Amino acid sequence: MPARVLIAKPGLDGHDRGAKVVARALRDAGFEVVFTGIRQRVEDIVNIALQEDVAVVGLSILSGAHLALTARTVEGLRAAGAGDITVIVGGTVPAADVPRLREAGAAAVFPTGTPLDELVDGVRALTAAPAPGRAGMTP
């Protein structure tokens, strides 16, 4: 069964083109993808993650509020007993903020411009999902 990934747009950011591209790339790579749409509250993202039984929550943030929104999402998942759900972050993220996002609980950070194959491979590694058609193959 493919891993389920929630792509979420927290906060007031109204731009979703990148999130849709990521959602499609993950879907095309064999993941089950749920997309929240724009302007979601952290509480709603946590509830959707629980309802959809996802393995990964991908936050797409372009607004500059990535540190606070990531920390709140990770805290919300932990408070709901879902601290095992992996949180990743993508979008407009300065390189200096990557370590701070990791400290806040993000398992991976994919800044704007990350090649899609790198992102897919990263999510695959986090979910231990083999590439389609490659199960049981050894390098």
Side-chain angles (χ1 to χ4, degrees):
M1 179 192 274
R4 292 177 64 90
V5 179
L6 174 67
I7 301 297
K9 293 289 299 174
L12 299 177
D13 178 13
H15 301 281
D16 64 355
R17 181 177 295 182
K20 287 179 177 176
V21 168
V22 166
R24 174 166 275 189
L26 290 171
R27 184 204 65 196
D28 290 350
F31 292 92
E32 285 189 38
V33 179
V34 177
F35 179 63
T36 65
I38 60 174
R39 299 187 181 104
Q40 297 296 309
R41 297 179 326 138
V42 168
E43 297 80 9
D44 295 331
I45 293 168
V46 169
N47 287 331
I48 294 167
L50 294 171
Q51 290 170 2
E52 294 291 339
D53 192 28
V54 299
V56 176
V57 171
L59 300 175
S60 173
I61 306 170
L62 304 175
S63 66
H66 47 274
L67 294 170
L69 290 169
T70 299
R72 287 182 48 214
T73 302
V74 170
E75 290 166 8
L77 289 166
R78 288 178 182 158
D84 61 330
I85 295 176
T86 300
V87 175
I88 61 174
V89 180
T92 307
V93 177
D97 286 347
V98 172
R100 294 174 67 192
L101 287 167
R102 302 286 299 226
E103 290 170 14
V109 180
F110 301 99
T112 301
T114 300
L116 290 175
D117 58 341
E118 183 178 320
L119 180 136
V120 168
D121 289 345
V123 174
R124 190 170 282 130
L126 289 168
T127 61
R134 296 183 53 150
M137 294 181 73
T138 57

